[in-house]
Every structure is written in structure tokens, then in C-alpha cells.
């Protein structure tokens, strides 16, 4: 499949690289890395990385303006379903390639490379570059490392396999990647966010089934001078708490007129419930966008019921 993907890349003069709405480091880094690699390999091609960015990740590089291109190859990264593609003109692509590590949702009717065992889309690109004539340099390697280390949550998830470590080892050997700089870029944060994290720790509720949740209204976010994405970005910091099996952060986002939900789990598979609420994601890491707090309360109660069933099954199996 990698050879087929390379052949398509070679064929087109205009290539647009898109990814999912609600940008995150794996989506953005994979997009920028692939753009740079194609440009390095084929300097004459017009390659565009499109979608809404975030100033938080500006250290990774710049995106291109969304335009209506003609006769173009569209490469969609890190996105399992069409409704989440962050490029308005995706339907007019001459050919589409999807490269993703989410569980399959729908076919884009082009070339599909899905590896839901991969830690990240950047991990898949590491392999794509190694197995084809696509070129790489220090900056591309750094971008790929940003995405991989973010989506694997610093190699904490089971999605970090021997293949992941092999690929990382090859890239660390071949390119100049300064790890401490990468971690500073990814994890340095303002004190106000740490204070907001303290607020969440003190105020989250925990159900009898070990589901922790907090609903952050715009007033609370404003009080901490944080923005609506801040709380969601710290969701992984609530891992490894003995009494908590699943945790949910609900944030009111007045600017976009919706309610953001971030969900993480140490056991129950939560993505089907996220899908029921206009969201999705991985089995243990999902998100959703809702239109009301009431909907968020329903989602929390569905997750609590799922967790209760999970605990009962676990206890039954371990009798
Ligand atoms: P997050 O909590 O935003 O870090 O997202 C965790 C995972 O869920 C990622 O794989 C996201 O792509 C996915 N995800 C987040 N929000 C949504 C959504 N509204 N719809 C579908 N998938 C989502």
C-alpha cells in the first residue's frame, strides 16, 4: 500500500493535505511533516497543508490558506469520517488518500491506509517515508516525533508497540532530534492553566463507579483567564488515579457556541458512546461536541452505566 500511495503522490502536481477539525499535535504535525517531505522529494509540486490552526501549536509551523484547487490529490490524515475533514472543498478532489489510525468509520472512496494499532498518524508516516522514496530531514523527523509522542501520551498507552520503538530508534539514529526541546515545546504551559487544573482536581465529582467529571462553565474558564481548549488539553493529566476509571471534562465554548467534551478511560471502551453524542475517537480516548449541558449530563450518565457494567463483568470474570 505504501508504494501505491507514493505512486499517487508522484502522479499529481497539486496536492492538498488535510486533517480533522479541532486540531491536535498528531493531526497538525503529520500534515506539516508530509508536506515538507513531498516538497523535499518533488520541489516542483504545489503542496498545501490546510485547515484551521491554533496559536498554541505555532512552534510546529504554518498552514496554508484554504482554496478551491482543481485537479488535485487530497491526502486526509488522522480522520476517520468525512464530516470531520477540515477542508471545505474535499468533495472536488480528483483522488483521495486516507491515512489514519482511528477505528474505521467510513470509506473515502480512494486509497485507504488504516492501522488502528499504530500509536499515531505520525508513526504511520515514519513507516511510509522509510518504505518509499519520500525524503526526510531533521525538521520532518522532529515533527513526526511531536505527533507520535503526543498521541501515545509519551508512550503510556498500549498503542506503543515494539514497532513504535523501532521506528523511533531509527529516526533518533538518523536525525538530530533534541528531546528536551521537543518536550518543552509540547508541555510548557502558563501558570493559569495549572491553577485551573487545581480547580478541576478539587471540584470534580466521582460517581460510585469511578467516573470523574466536571462541567466548566464559561464563567469558571474566564475566572482563570484560560480559554475553552485549556481544560481539554489537560485531560491526560488525570490518568492513574486509583479511584477513577473514566474521566470526563465538559467545557462550555461560547465562541463556537458548543460544549466540548473530552473523555479518557483506563478500561471501559468509550468511543461508541462518544459517537452517539456527535463525537468519536479511540476506544480509551474520545471526544464530542454537544449543543447543551443537558446533553452532557446524559452522556455522563451513559458513561457511568457503561462503567458499572464493565466493573460487574470484570468482577464476574475474576471470581
Ligand atoms: P481529544 O479529547 O480532543 O484529545 O480527542 C480524543 C480523540 O477523540 C481524538 O482521536 C479525536 O480525534 C477524537 N475526537 C475528539 N472530538 C471528536 C468529535 N467531536 N468527533 C469525533 N471524534 C472526536
Amino acid at each position: 500500500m505504501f508504494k501505491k500511495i507514493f505512486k499517487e503522490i508522484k502522479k499529481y502536481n497539486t496536492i492538498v493535505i488535510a486533517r480533522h477539525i479541532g486540531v491536535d499535535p498528531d493531526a497538525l504535525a503529520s500534515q506539516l511533516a508530509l508536506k515538507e517531505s513531498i516538497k523535499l522529494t518533488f520541489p516542483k509540486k504545489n503542496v498545501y497543508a490546510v485547515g484551521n490552526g491554533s496559536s498554541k501549536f505555532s512552534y510546529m509551523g504554518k498552514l496554508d490558506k484554504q482554496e478551491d484547487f482543481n485537479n488535485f490529490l487530497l491526502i486526509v490524515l488522522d480522520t476517520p469520517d468525512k464530516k470531520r475533514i477540515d477542508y471545505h472543498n474535499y468533495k472536488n478532489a480528483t483522488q483521495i488518500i486516507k491515512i489514519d489510525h482511528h477505528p474505521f468509520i467510513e470509506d473515502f472512496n480512494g486509497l485507504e491506509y488504516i492501522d488502528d494499532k499504530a500509536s499515531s498518524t505520525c508513526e504511520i508516516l515514519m513507516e511510509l517515508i522509510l518504505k518509499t522514496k519520500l525524503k526526510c530531514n531533521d525538521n520532518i523527523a522532529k515533527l513526526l516525533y511531536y505527533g507520535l509522542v503526543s498521541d501515545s501520551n509519551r508512550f503510556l498507552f498500549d498503542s506503543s508497540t515494539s514497532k513504535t520503538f523501532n521506528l523511533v530508534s531509527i529516526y533518533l539514529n538518523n536525525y538530530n532530534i533534541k528531546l528536551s526541546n521537543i518536550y518543552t515545546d509540547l508541555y510548557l504551559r502558563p501558570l493559569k492553566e495549572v491553577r485551573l487544573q487545581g480547580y478541576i482536581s478539587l471540584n470534580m465529582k466521582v460517581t460510585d463507579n469511578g467516573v470523574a467529571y466536571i462541567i466548566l462553565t464559561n464563567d469558571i474558564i474566564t475566572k482563570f483567564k484560560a480559554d475553552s481548549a485549556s481544560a481539554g488539553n489537560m485531560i491526560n493529566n488525570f490518568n492513574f488515579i486509583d479511584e477513577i476509571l473514566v474521566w470526563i471534562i465538559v467545557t462550555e465554548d461560547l465562541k463556537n457556541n458548543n460544549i466540548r467534551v473530552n473523555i479518557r478511560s483506563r478500561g471501559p471502551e468509550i468511543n461508541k458512546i462518544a459517537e452517539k453524542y456527535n463525537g468519536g475517537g479511540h476506544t480509551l480516548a474520545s471526544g464530542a461536541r454537544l449543543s447543551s449541558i443537558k446533553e452532557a449530563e446524559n452522556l455522563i450518565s451513559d458513561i457511568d452505566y457503561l462503567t458499572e457494567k464493565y466493573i460487574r463483568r470484570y468482577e464476574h470474570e475474576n471470581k
Side-chain angles (χ1 to χ4, degrees):
M1 182 58 106
F2 288 139
K3 296 272 185 282
K4 272 194 190 159
I5 292 175
F6 182 76
K7 249 176 139 177
E8 291 299 309
I9 290 174
K10 210 170 152 188
K11 217 156 79 185
Y12 285 84
N13 235 342
T14 303
I15 300 173
V16 179
I17 307 174
R19 39 77 193 158
H20 61 74
I21 50 174
V23 64
D24 63 30
D26 186 37
L28 181 64
S30 59
Q31 195 183 20
L32 296 172
L34 185 59
K35 175 185 167 179
E36 194 169 335
S37 172
I38 296 174
K39 285 296 285 177
L40 196 63
T41 318
F42 304 104
K44 288 191 180 141
K45 286 191 192 293
N46 300 312
V47 189
Y48 305 91
V50 298
N52 285 315
S54 158
S55 56
K56 190 175 158 49
F57 308 128
S58 56
Y59 56 84
M60 289 193 192
K62 280 206 175 93
L63 288 161
D64 300 297
K65 270 228 282 303
Q66 300 236 16
E67 282 177 48
D68 294 338
F69 304 98
N70 287 317
N71 187 22
F72 65 100
L73 168 67
L74 175 67
I75 305 179
V76 182
L77 300 173
D78 200 37
T79 313
D81 49 351
K82 290 182 193 160
K83 75 173 193 309
R84 293 199 82 222
I85 300 175
D86 194 350
Y87 177 47
H88 67 283
N89 194 33
Y90 75 86
K91 285 188 183 133
N92 292 325
T94 318
Q95 166 68 307
I96 299 193
I97 297 175
K98 183 209 277 182
I99 301 177
D100 189 23
H101 75 126
H102 289 90
F104 175 82
I105 294 189
E106 66 180 321
D107 204 312
F108 289 5
N109 303 317
L111 287 184
E112 302 253 320
Y113 184 90
I114 299 163
D115 179 2
D116 62 6
K117 300 277 179 297
S119 66
S120 52
T121 299
C122 281
E123 176 180 321
I124 301 174
L125 292 190
M126 282 184 174
E127 203 184 350
L128 172 74
I129 289 173
L130 279 180
K131 291 194 171 158
T132 62
K133 289 186 183 141
L134 281 173
K135 291 185 181 163
C136 190
N137 61 21
D138 288 348
N139 193 51
I140 295 166
K142 182 170 86 171
L143 285 166
L144 293 172
Y145 194 85
Y146 278 137
L148 189 155
V149 88
S150 290
D151 248 35
S152 67
N153 198 13
R154 281 173 277 177
F155 308 101
L156 281 182
F157 302 144
D158 291 333
S159 60
S160 294
T161 60
S162 60
K163 183 173 175 182
T164 316
F165 286 104
N166 270 332
L167 286 165
V168 167
S169 166
I170 293 169
Y171 277 77
L172 285 178
N173 261 322
N174 294 353
Y175 301 98
N176 186 15
I177 304 177
K178 190 152 168 53
L179 294 186
S180 57
N181 288 351
I182 288 189
Y183 295 126
T184 304
D185 285 342
L186 284 172
Y187 300 117
L188 194 71
R189 58 199 178 131
L191 183 60
K192 62 187 179 187
E193 285 195 4
V194 182
R195 296 207 197 280
L196 176 60
Q197 188 175 318
Y199 175 89
I200 296 172
S201 305
L202 284 173
N203 292 285
M204 65 189 175
K205 304 231 171 11
V206 185
T207 70
D208 291 345
N209 299 312
V211 175
Y213 64 92
I214 188 154
I215 297 179
L216 298 166
T217 58
N218 186 59
D219 285 351
I220 299 168
I221 297 292
T222 312
K223 192 174 141 204
F224 284 92
K225 298 187 176 66
D227 68 66
S228 58
S230 312
N233 289 334
M234 58 183 79
I235 183 92
N236 290 330
N237 297 344
F238 294 92
N239 202 347
F240 304 117
I241 301 174
D242 199 12
E243 293 82 353
I244 297 173
L245 204 51
V246 180
W247 56 110
I248 306 167
I249 296 180
V250 177
T251 315
E252 194 180 16
D253 180 357
L254 276 196
K255 210 168 84 192
N256 293 304
N257 196 26
N258 65 24
I259 311 283
R260 290 166 174 258
V261 183
N262 305 84
I263 318 165
R264 297 293 185 270
S265 168
R266 286 196 295 115
E269 297 190 353
I270 51 180
N271 53 331
K272 291 280 173 270
I273 291 186
E275 280 167 29
K276 180 177 156 193
Y277 288 89
N278 186 36
H282 303 281
T283 49
L284 303 180
S286 290
R289 295 283 181 280
L290 311 177
S291 49
S292 69
I293 297 285
K294 179 80 200 121
E295 252 190 301
E297 286 165 355
N298 292 342
L299 179 148
I300 292 166
S301 123
D302 279 1
I303 294 270
D304 193 44
Y305 181 61
L306 172 91
T307 308
E308 186 185 347
K309 278 199 306 191
Y310 172 89
I311 294 169
R312 279 218 210 107
R313 201 175 63 235
Y314 183 82
E315 283 168 353
H316 179 74
E317 281 165 9
N318 287 285
K319 251 188 197 161

